[in-house]
Amino acid sequence: MSQLEINILHSQTQRDLTSSDIVEEFLSRENFQRAWRKVAENQGSAGVDEETTDDFNHNLNSNLSQLRDAVANSTYQPLPFKQVFIPKQKGSWRELKIPTVRDRIVQQALLNVLAPIMENKFSPASFAYRPHMSYINAVEQVAHWRDLGYHWVMDADVSKYFDSIDHQRLLIVVRKYLDNPGILCLIKAWISAGVLTKEGIVRNDKGIPQGAVISPMLANIYLDEFDKIISASDLKLVRYADDFLVLATTQERIVKAYSEVEQILNSFKLTLHPEKTQITNFERGFRFLGHGFLENAIFPVESSKTVSASGVEGKGSKKKLSTRNDASKANRNSASIAIATSVNFRN
């Protein structure tokens, strides 16, 4: 049994909970304490209220109890995200959206409960932001489909994925998995909290902040239907967040798949990035998740598109592999809906 099969089997042993069970576990003192420990471990910057993890820790028991009670009694309201810009290469800037410590704790508490449940439901074609899976598993899966004859590849990227997620559609999709008004209300409040800028609070009807604890899971939920549609066809899919490969056995099929994938994503109010999407094959070679693929060789590559230790990939334009000599040299050096805004959980 492969490591990937073991990982999937492990996720399938996780138990499903009823809606009332989820709320009870979410609001438990033990869960909020566990959420606090995770947030404290990650540290991070203060949000718009300027409260740090050290500040929250000064009166921990009281702060945690008050926060939990506020959520249970529907008096909790998330604050806007703090807008921060950090420099990027070539003089550009990257926007970060930082939630408050208290909002991170509540999101982590919900994530503690929902993540094991969603592991039962997510497609095995999705590899990002999941326990017991990594980009290495995704690379191995690409090799698996290659060895089964899927030699033609659509190497694709969703344009500005996190910023393009439609709020209304997201809530509709989440409701299919978890029809609990209180939890749906929380998620709606988080994604619509807005960002505090110099001009004031800016709110949009699309986009989820990458700085939010809950966002990676919401991002996977949003594309889970896409994963299952492609996987149920004669195509194969390997997706890591907004970066994915669709594989086919013939050139004719992969060309047709391009328009099919584009149409599905458009129905999700998403678009393909034109400069980061291409049709290729293993003979020509391509790069995916910091690895080069050329015929039967797989090897780490240096490019503008790299994977960090956390598995988060930096973006860059698609680049073909330069020469077969590069491949062989590298291979020798590497191992082969409208929802109410206030709902009482106790009702």
Side-chain angles (χ1 to χ4, degrees), residues 2 12 14-15 45 55 58 62 79 97 109-110 119 139 161 164 172 226 235 242 246 258 296 301 318 323:
S2 70
Q12 290 174 341
Q14 302 293 335
R15 62 193 178 101
S45 302
D55 295 333
H58 284 161
S62 176
L79 292 176
K97 299 173 183 177
L110 183 59
E119 278 302 299
V139 169
Y161 176 48
S164 301
I172 292 172
F226 169 79
L235 303 166
D242 57 351
V246 176
Y258 191 109
N296 290 327
V301 292
K318 299 289 185 185
T323 66

Side-chain angles (χ1 to χ4, degrees), residues 16 22 40 55 79 173 176 178 180 206 244 268 285 312-313:
D16 275 323
I22 291 171
D55 295 333
L79 292 176
V173 173
K176 293 179 181 178
L178 181 66
N180 180 279
K206 66 178 183 178
F244 63 91
F268 291 1
V312 178
E313 187 173 16

